[in-house]
Amino acid sequence: MSSTNRSDARKNHKFDYYVTPIAEIETFINFIHKIVPNIFTGKILDSCAGGDNAHAMSYPTVINKIFPQLQVDTVDIRDDSLAEIKMDYLNFDCTNRYNTIITNPPFNNSLEIIKKAIEDVRKFGFVIMLQRLNFMGSKSRKAFWEENMPKYIVVHHKRMSFTDNGGTDSIEYAHYIWQKGVKVTSSQLYII
């Protein structure tokens, strides 16, 4: 699907839900765990977990495969989601309960979700969000970036498919990673 047609395609996706590709998430998690060994410890939250009767929840599936000892709590706004808690993460009270909050947030309110996750995660905990690479470029987000530069940015070198047919659009994606209580002025950039 092209980026030109993506806005029309969004009309068919309830709550801006796209299935996050499990294989790409597994590649990312294996990679970042080698760079930041303490990134997946303690309690973890997928705040927009997704999943449905045809698709697993991507992040919990991969995290439970690689780290079976970890607990991953799941929240999603959609009634048909596989998440344990069906509610809008923006209304979910979870301050200081999680060491890591990870998700692929809906693009239409991703900045609000990122800001809340940074507030919610425990001190020195991690917030990991999958976003378009061009999420960095926006007048409206410039002030946020100046105050909240991610510690790490992991760019996926190949375009991800969020469809069952394997099609991609013209967008590159990256995982943006913040560590609460650690202010940086530049990000460490990795390409996988």
Side-chain angles (χ1 to χ4, degrees), residues 31-109:
F31 174 83
I32 198 63
H33 177 66
K34 290 176 186 169
I35 303 299
V36 188
N38 66 333
I39 200 164
F40 296 107
T41 58
K43 286 185 74 173
I44 298 171
L45 173 68
D46 184 340
S47 57
C48 305
D52 57 36
N53 63 359
H55 305 94
M57 295 179 292
S58 302
Y59 289 101
T61 298
V62 173
I63 292 167
N64 286 328
K65 176 183 176 183
I66 298 171
F67 309 104
Q69 76 282 8
L70 294 180
Q71 177 183 344
V72 181
D73 291 345
T74 54
V75 174
D76 198 282
I77 195 170
R78 293 175 19 261
D79 289 334
D80 66 333
S81 167
L82 299 177
E84 300 160 307
I85 301 167
K86 309 286 197 299
M87 71 178 300
D88 185 343
Y89 168 66
L90 294 175
N91 298 320
F92 181 55
D93 182 14
C94 65
T95 306
N96 293 318
R97 284 181 25 202
Y98 295 99
N99 296 351
T100 302
I101 298 176
I102 185 170
T103 204
N104 174 6
F107 190 77
N108 62 354
N109 63 350

